[in-house]
Amino acid sequence: MQAIRIATASGGAASAASPLQQAPLTRREFLKGTGMLLGTLAIGTPIAALAPSRAWALELKALDTATGDTLLKFGRVLYPHPQLPDAVYALLVKDLDAMAAGDPKVAQQLRDGVAGLDRATGGAFAKAKPAAQLAAVKAIEGKPFFATVRGKCVTALYDNEMAWTAFGYPGESFSKGGYIRRGFQDLKWLPDPPADASPPPLLG
């Protein structure tokens, strides 16, 4: 099974590009990065159906593997979504790694922050129990490291096609004729309203 490179989608929320690029990693590319995060999408999930391969890989330019893994777990504690696979949280790590590659101060802040989380959980934050992870994160709420990671979570986790697929959001519809005939009535997480709650849609 070839590992598929993770990349952030370009073009903002209106972009239809998948964060999973189809170009497989070569062995040389696999080995040259500072760090590497790897994972596999669960069989039968909507995201697995979207991706060209179930295996994914994220090459890190400035951060090592342990730091990247801890940041991924930190993001999951901040914004816990059981239905989102690690591949989505890896997009957060990718954005933070890009920041670290461009600014040595950010890189040091991230490394120091991860070291602090490890100390707070008695060794390795990424392997600590959920209660210990949550306590460690709450203890640094409001600190610059916390703010840096939390700020990136908002765009990295929710402005990508993988997350949209997991949450059942079909993406923008303006370019496809609007929502009336494309997803207007497919809300899955709330009960259906009574028929008299609104007038019939004007279909033209």
Side-chain angles (χ1 to χ4, degrees):
M1 182 182 296
Q2 291 180 319
I4 301 303
R5 180 186 290 108
I6 284 184
T8 51
S10 61
S15 173
S18 171
L20 295 174
Q21 291 186 341
Q22 296 196 24
L25 288 170
T26 64
R27 177 176 174 79
R28 176 174 296 180
E29 290 175 319
F30 186 88
L31 295 175
K32 75 178 183 180
T34 299
M36 180 73 67
L37 297 183
L38 304 170
T40 305
L41 300 172
I43 297 175
T45 59
I47 295 179
L50 170 73
S53 170
R54 287 180 52 234
W56 59 265
L58 171 63
E59 179 188 353
L60 302 175
K61 305 295 185 181
L63 306 174
D64 61 28
T65 300
T67 300
D69 189 38
T70 299
L71 290 171
L72 187 151
K73 299 298 193 303
F74 182 18
R76 191 175 278 284
V77 173
L78 285 173
Y79 292 88
H81 296 289
Q83 70 269 48
L84 291 185
D86 283 349
V88 175
Y89 289 90
L91 297 175
L92 166 66
V93 181
K94 180 179 177 66
D95 285 355
L96 292 171
D97 182 62
M99 290 175 63
D103 188 337
K105 291 183 179 179
V106 173
Q108 193 60 50
Q109 182 196 78
L110 294 176
R111 295 188 184 102
D112 290 346
V114 165
L117 288 175
D118 287 341
R119 288 193 300 270
T121 51
F125 176 89
K127 297 179 181 179
K129 293 182 178 180
Q133 290 180 336
L134 181 59
V137 170
K138 283 185 174 181
I140 63 169
E141 187 174 0
K143 300 291 181 62
F145 169 60
F146 181 97
T148 296
V149 177
R150 183 187 181 193
K152 274 297 173 187
C153 281
V154 175
T155 53
L157 297 183
Y158 303 114
D159 190 12
N160 69 83
E161 190 174 324
M162 288 194 294
W164 298 348
T165 299
F167 293 134
Y169 171 58
E172 65 87 22
S173 285
F174 179 80
S175 64
K176 304 173 183 67
Y179 281 108
I180 293 297
R181 293 186 174 88
R182 184 179 179 270
F184 180 73
Q185 302 282 21
D186 66 356
L187 190 65
K188 299 294 194 302
W189 58 88
L190 292 174
D192 290 336
D196 58 357
S198 60
L202 179 63
L203 297 178

